[in-house]
Amino acid sequence: MKPGSRWKSAVCDAQMVVVRPPRASGVLQCGGSAVLELTDAAAPSGSIHPDHAGGVLIGKRYTDAESGIEVLGAKAGKGSLAFDGRPLQIKDAKPLPASD
């Protein structure tokens, strides 16, 4: 996985862009299934695992502290993101400096 590479879910409409690649190899998942390259012609099929049905939000960054991966939601979907089975967390926005 390289920065800027685009991926899609195999089980829902979600799409994502890798912002920061993982430090070690692993599997990016959406809805409990491994993601596919955006250029893959396969249409979403199958069912979303109930434990991975939290959804992907467009424009939100998702990260995993252990692997260092960071992805950006490019298209919303019903499946939630995980890396090697660990759920990705929405990255908090950086606070702006106070202007007094």
Side-chain angles (χ1 to χ4, degrees):
M1 292 190 161
K2 297 186 292 186
S5 61
R6 297 181 55 106
W7 302 85
K8 67 180 183 177
S9 173
V11 294
C12 71
D13 293 331
Q15 292 181 7
M16 60 281 322
V17 177
V18 173
V19 176
R20 183 174 296 130
R23 290 185 284 269
S25 62
V27 178
L28 179 61
Q29 303 163 305
C30 184
S33 298
V35 297
L36 306 171
E37 289 189 47
L38 189 60
T39 57
D40 192 309
S45 63
S47 59
I48 297 170
H49 190 282
D51 293 341
H52 300 277
V56 172
L57 300 173
I58 190 168
K60 296 292 183 183
R61 290 179 182 238
Y62 295 85
T63 186
D64 175 48
E66 188 173 324
S67 68
I69 191 169
E70 185 176 325
V71 297
L72 173 68
K75 184 176 180 184
K78 294 182 180 180
S80 57
L81 297 172
F83 189 79
D84 280 348
R86 293 182 305 277
L88 298 186
Q89 305 299 317
I90 292 179
K91 187 175 180 179
D92 292 329
K94 292 180 182 178
L96 296 173
S99 60
D100 293 338

